[in-house]
């Protein structure tokens, strides 16, 4: 199981909770950095994932943004469109 998170520290905390509840070993719950507001981050995540895994069997997508103040992604797109549409399509 991979947890793709903007904050690796918060991802590690969630992974520890999952391991405590399920008894999964460290090699079963992996945390990787992924910021959907950055195309460079998306590409880096995808490259690392492909080097570690042959294929993706199941995706549970729990990411997105809504009703945020007007702002832009690292790449200059409006934040909601950049994250929810462009960022998720790149994954």
């Amino acid at each position: 199981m991979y947890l793709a998170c903007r904050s690796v520290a918060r991802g590690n905390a969630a992974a520890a909770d999952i391991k405590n509840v399920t008894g999964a070993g460290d090699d079963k719950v992996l945390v990787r950095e992924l910021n959907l507001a950055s195309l460079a981050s998306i590409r880096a995540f995808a490259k690392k994932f492909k080097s570690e895994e042959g294929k993706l069997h199941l995706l549970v997508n729990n990411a997105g943004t809504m009703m945020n103040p007007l702002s832009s992604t690292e790449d200059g797109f409006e934040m909601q469109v950049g994250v929810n549409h462009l960022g998720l399509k790149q994954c």
Side-chain angles (χ1 to χ4, degrees), residues 1-8 10-12 14-15 18 29-36 41-42 45-46 49 56 59-64 88 91:
M1 169 191 297
Y2 282 80
L3 302 178
C5 308
R6 277 182 304 170
S7 168
V8 172
R10 288 174 41 195
N12 284 332
I18 291 168
V29 184
L30 306 170
V31 177
R32 300 293 181 265
E33 184 176 9
L34 173 60
N35 180 356
L36 291 174
S41 175
I42 294 166
F45 173 84
F49 181 85
L56 176 67
L59 173 67
V60 177
N61 188 6
N62 183 26
L88 292 174
C91 287

Side-chain angles (χ1 to χ4, degrees), residues 64-75:
T65 185
M66 183 177 149
M67 303 283 292
N68 49 298
L70 182 60
S71 58
S72 298
T73 66
E74 226 177 71
D75 305 291

Side-chain angles (χ1 to χ4, degrees), residues 8-59:
V8 172
R10 288 174 41 195
N12 284 332
D17 288 344
I18 291 168
K19 291 173 195 175
N20 285 336
V21 169
T22 65
D26 286 342
D27 62 331
K28 298 293 182 189
V29 184
L30 306 170
V31 177
R32 300 293 181 265
E33 184 176 9
L34 173 60
N35 180 356
L36 291 174
S38 166
L39 296 177
S41 175
I42 294 166
R43 289 183 187 109
F45 173 84
K47 183 177 181 179
K48 183 170 178 100
F49 181 85
K50 285 180 179 181
S51 74
E52 295 174 341
E53 301 291 334
K55 48 177 106 165
L56 176 67
H57 298 282
L58 176 68
L59 173 67

